[in-house]
Amino acid sequence: MSSLQQTLTLAWRSLLQLRRNPWELMDFSIQPILFLLLFLYVFGGAVAGSTAAYLDFILPGVIVMNLVFVTVYVGHGLNTDLTRGVFDRFRALPIARWSPLAGRILADMVKQAWCVLLLLVVGFLLGFRLGAPVSGVLVMLALLLVFAFAMSWIMVLVGVVARDPEHVQLFGFTALFPVTFLSNVFVPLDTLPPFIRAVVAANPVSLLAEASRGLLSGGPVLEPALWSLVWAGTITVVFAPLSLWALNRRLARS
Amino acid sequence: MDDAIRAEGLVKQFGATRALDGIDLSVPRGTVFGLLGPNGAGKTTAVRILATLLAPDAGQAWVDGFDVVTEAATVRSRIGLTGQYASVDEKLTGRENLILIARLLGFSRRDARARAGELLAEFGLEDAAHRPVQTYSGGMRRRLDLAASLVGQPRILFLDEPTTGLDPRARLDLWNLIRQLVAQGTTVLLTTQYLEEADSLADEIVVIDQGRVIASGTSDQLKARIGGQTLVLAPEQESDLATALSIVTEIVGREPEVDGARLQVPASDPALVPAVVRRLDESGIVARELTLRGASLDDVFLTLTGRHASVETPADDAEVAP
C-alpha cells in the first residue's frame, strides 16, 4: 500500500468519526448558519440598509470566519489521538511516518469544502445570487483551502502543546474570536475607528473575505488574494517546522 | 541472532530522571517474557524502545533480528503492540477499528472485512461489533485493543500492562486469550505490576526497579528466593507486639518487619502457621489478624531491595486464612 493510500485511509477514518459523532458535524454545520441568520436579520438593516444588500456582504465573511474556526478540529483530533494512545498505535504500524498527520489535515480539507458549499447553498436559499462568473466559486474554494491548510499548522502546534482536547477547544475559541471579529467580516472597513483600521485591513481574515466578495459578487480580487497567499505562505513556513519539531519533542518525551 | 527480542545496555534519560539505566534482555522465540516492576520502574519505556516508538540514548536492541533504530520500519512489520491505555479509536465501532488497521497494513477491502470478522469472533466481540468503542466496558476495550494488534498476525507481541484496571473476571479472560496466542507460536513480552500475572503467564521473569534489572529467572526460581508466601500477624494488644515478634522470629528463623501494629515475614512452609498459633496461645496472645498470603510484588521488592514497591495489590490477591 502506498503512503498516499495510507493517508487516504486515515482521512477516511477521521471522516468516519463524524458519523458516530453527529454533534461535531452539527457544530460546524449549524453554527455558521445560525451566525449568518442572526447577523443578517439583526444587523442587516442597520449596517447595509437592507438584509438583501447585507447578505452579499456577510456571506463571504461568514464563510471565512467559519473556515478559521473549523481548523480547530485539526488540533482537537490530533490531541485526542496523542492523549488516548491512538497516535502510538499508528506509529507502531509499518506505514509512512507522516501519514497520520497528513490524513488528519486532508480530512479537515474535506470538512472545509463541505462547509463552504453548505453556506453557499444556504445563502442561495436566502436570496444570494452570484454577481461574477461561476469559476470564481472554484477560485475562492481553492484560495480558502490554501489558507485553511496554512492554519492547520498552527492548530497542529496547539494540539501538540495542549494538555487535553478540551484545552485545544478553549484555546481555539478564545484566540480565534478576536481574530475573526477584528476583521471586515461583519462591518465595512471604513466604519471603523482609525486606530484599529490598520489592524483590520492587514488581518488575513479581512483579506480573504474581501477576495471572496470579489470572486462571488465582483470587486477587487487580485490584491487581497495575493496578500492572503502571502499570509498563508508565511504561516506555513513558520508553523510547519515549529509544529513538527514540537510533535517530535512530545513523542520523544514519553 | 536466535532470540525474538534482545537488548543490550539500554539507557534512556528523561530530563533528570534515568528511566532505563542499562537493561539487558533476551527473549527466546515462542516464549512469554514477563517484565515485572512497580510504576515508574521503566517497563513502559523499555517496551516503547523495543516497539520503535522511542530511541534509546545508549545501547542496542533487536526484534526478530532487526535493529529497532536503524531497521525500525522492518521491526514495525513484525510486531503488535497493546499499550497501557486502550489505543483504539473510541468514536469508531469495533469493526471499523479493525478494518482501519487491516487497510493500513495493505489488506484489500474484502480481506480487511474478513480479517476483522475473524478477530471479532475470536475475541467474543461480534455482538458489539457495530457499536462505537466508547460504549464498551474496560474488558471489551482491552480485548479489541489486543485484536487490533493482531490484525497483521505479528510474530512478536508487546503487551504493556494488559490487565491493569480490569476486574478479576476480565483479567482471567484476557489471560486465556494470551495463552492461546502463545500456543500458536507467538512470542510475547508482557509488562505487569502483578507478580501473580507474571507467575501465571510468563516462562521467564525479569524484575526491574529504577531502570535496572534486579532479578531474573523463572517464576519458581524467584519464589524460592523470596519464600513464596508471607506470614502476617497482628496481635490484638499492641503491648504484645514485642513478645509476638520474638515468637515469630524463633519459629520462622528470620526477624519479621514491623508495619504499624503488624508483623510480616516471608514464610515458605505452611506448617509454620499452626506452630505460631500454638505458641501465641501458650503466651496468652490473641491475634487480631493471622494470615499466610501469596507473595506480592511488594514482597519481591522488599526481599530484593529492602524497599516497598508503591503498587496496589490486585483485587483478587489470594489470601489464605489460617
Side-chain angles (χ1 to χ4, degrees):
Chain A
M1 195 184 211
S2 74
S3 43
L4 183 67
Q5 277 173 302
Q6 290 158 3
T7 303
L8 289 173
T9 303
L10 287 159
W12 162 78
R13 167 245 172 183
S14 294
L15 294 173
L16 201 57
Q17 287 183 332
L18 289 178
R19 217 174 69 209
R20 307 286 165 205
N21 194 32
W23 281 112
E24 191 185 322
L25 187 67
M26 292 269 284
D27 200 24
F28 64 72
S29 303
I30 305 293
Q31 189 177 291
I33 296 174
L34 277 178
F35 260 111
L36 184 65
L37 291 174
L38 284 173
F39 275 86
L40 184 62
Y41 292 111
V42 175
F43 295 112
V47 177
S50 72
T51 45
Y54 194 46
L55 183 60
D56 283 355
F57 184 77
I58 65 160
L59 182 64
V62 169
I63 288 174
V64 173
M65 185 181 83
N66 188 57
L67 179 96
V68 172
F69 281 131
V70 169
T71 56
V72 173
Y73 288 108
V74 172
H76 187 265
L78 176 64
N79 188 274
T80 307
D81 285 353
L82 285 169
T83 48
R84 300 281 152 81
V86 178
F87 208 79
D88 281 344
R89 151 93 59 216
F90 293 147
R91 288 207 306 139
L93 292 175
I95 58 173
R97 305 310 272 157
W98 46 266
S99 58
L101 199 55
R104 171 78 48 210
I105 292 175
L106 183 64
D108 186 60
M109 296 293 121
V110 175
K111 288 179 197 173
Q112 294 287 14
W114 152 260
C115 289
V116 172
L117 296 176
L118 178 75
L119 281 168
L120 281 175
V121 168
V122 171
F124 191 80
L125 293 176
L126 292 172
F128 179 82
R129 293 297 176 266
L130 287 177
V134 184
S135 58
V137 176
L138 295 177
V139 176
M140 178 185 79
L141 189 62
L143 185 65
L144 291 176
L145 290 183
V146 167
F147 188 74
F149 176 80
M151 281 290 291
S152 304
W153 288 111
I154 300 184
M155 290 306 148
V156 168
L157 183 64
V158 175
V160 169
V161 173
R163 201 167 354 125
D164 53 50
E166 287 67 38
H167 277 84
V168 176
Q169 215 125 18
L170 193 68
F171 169 86
F173 293 117
T174 36
L176 294 179
F177 254 109
V179 171
T180 49
F181 272 84
L182 229 64
S183 72
N184 64 10
V185 165
F186 297 111
V187 291
L189 187 63
D190 50 29
T191 63
L192 298 170
F195 66 97
I196 55 171
R197 205 178 292 172
V199 176
V200 168
N203 185 343
V205 175
S206 304
L207 294 162
L208 273 173
E210 203 185 332
S212 302
R213 281 184 196 118
L215 287 162
L216 293 182
S217 308
V221 171
L222 195 62
E223 200 191 323
L226 283 177
W227 279 113
S228 305
L229 290 175
V230 168
W231 266 107
T234 311
I235 291 172
T236 308
V237 165
V238 173
F239 282 92
L242 191 62
S243 301
L244 292 176
W245 171 79
L247 179 61
N248 285 329
R249 208 170 100 101
R250 174 169 177 156
L251 293 173
R253 279 205 317 190
S254 56
Chain B
M1 193 91 36
D2 218 44
D3 287 332
I5 303 167
R6 222 155 84 84
E8 284 172 9
L10 288 184
V11 172
K12 185 73 196 179
Q13 184 105 18
F14 295 120
T17 328
R18 209 165 176 84
L20 290 184
D21 195 10
I23 294 251
D24 300 327
L25 301 172
S26 94
V27 182
R29 285 180 198 283
T31 64
V32 182
F33 188 84
L35 208 54
L36 181 68
N39 271 330
K43 306 186 298 288
T44 298
T45 305
V47 169
R48 291 177 70 84
I49 289 176
L50 295 171
T52 76
L53 296 181
L54 207 57
D57 294 334
Q60 261 190 299
W62 299 265
V63 171
D64 210 15
F66 297 97
D67 189 297
V68 297
V69 176
T70 58
E71 295 164 304
T74 315
V75 170
R76 281 178 210 125
S77 67
R78 309 296 168 107
I79 60 166
L81 169 67
T82 294
Q84 215 175 113
Y85 305 99
S87 55
V88 282
D89 189 329
E90 301 199 345
K91 287 177 185 164
L92 301 189
T93 67
R95 189 185 303 279
E96 286 164 350
N97 264 293
L98 297 179
I99 291 177
L100 169 68
I101 304 287
R103 294 286 288 151
L104 288 174
L105 290 174
F107 286 59
S108 71
R109 227 172 278 264
R110 179 197 283 183
D111 291 349
R113 288 200 75 80
R115 182 73 182 130
E118 258 169 55
L119 285 164
L120 288 165
E122 204 176 315
F123 285 76
L125 291 167
E126 271 171 320
D127 292 341
H130 64 284
R131 281 186 3 223
V133 174
Q134 52 198 356
T135 66
Y136 284 22
S137 70
M140 288 161 72
R141 246 173 235 236
R142 221 56 82 86
R143 292 208 302 272
L144 180 65
D145 195 36
L146 185 55
S149 50
L150 295 171
V151 172
Q153 296 179 303
R155 303 164 64 176
I156 294 161
L157 188 61
F158 295 103
L159 302 174
D160 190 15
E161 302 204 7
T163 66
T164 299
L166 291 188
D167 60 58
R169 176 67 212 278
R171 174 175 300 149
L172 288 177
D173 283 350
L174 210 68
W175 285 3
N176 284 330
L177 288 170
I178 295 168
R179 286 198 191 97
Q180 284 170 30
L181 289 170
V182 177
Q184 292 157 20
T186 312
T187 307
V188 174
L189 187 147
L190 160 102
T191 79
T192 181
Q193 301 187 30
Y194 308 134
L195 180 62
E196 196 201 343
E197 183 159 285
D199 185 13
S200 123
L201 293 173
D203 300 302
E204 194 172 340
I205 301 172
V206 154
V207 184
I208 65 171
D209 177 42
Q210 297 179 337
R212 286 171 174 281
V213 174
I214 55 170
S216 64
T218 64
S219 172
D220 287 340
Q221 287 167 344
L222 281 178
K223 278 197 208 152
R225 268 181 82 176
I226 57 170
Q229 289 186 306
T230 299
L231 179 80
V232 182
L233 167 64
E236 178 90 0
Q237 304 291 328
E238 250 181 81
S239 51
D240 291 334
L241 204 61
T243 323
L245 185 98
S246 64
I247 291 173
V248 173
T249 309
E250 189 188 316
I251 295 174
V252 181
R254 178 170 183 167
E255 185 156 336
E257 195 209 350
V258 184
D259 172 19
R262 226 195 223 149
L263 305 174
Q264 295 194 39
V265 67
S268 44
D269 184 1
L272 293 173
V273 177
V276 171
V277 172
R278 241 183 335 266
R279 286 290 304 277
L280 289 175
D281 199 34
E282 284 164 21
S283 315
I285 297 175
V286 181
R288 179 165 52 79
E289 183 186 353
L290 176 60
T291 55
L292 193 61
R293 60 169 172 78
S296 65
L297 177 61
D298 198 44
D299 300 321
V300 178
F301 259 74
L302 199 58
T303 312
L304 295 172
T305 67
R307 286 186 295 107
H308 285 282
S310 48
V311 286
E312 81 274 35
T313 43
D316 57 343
D317 204 7
E319 288 217 58
V320 185

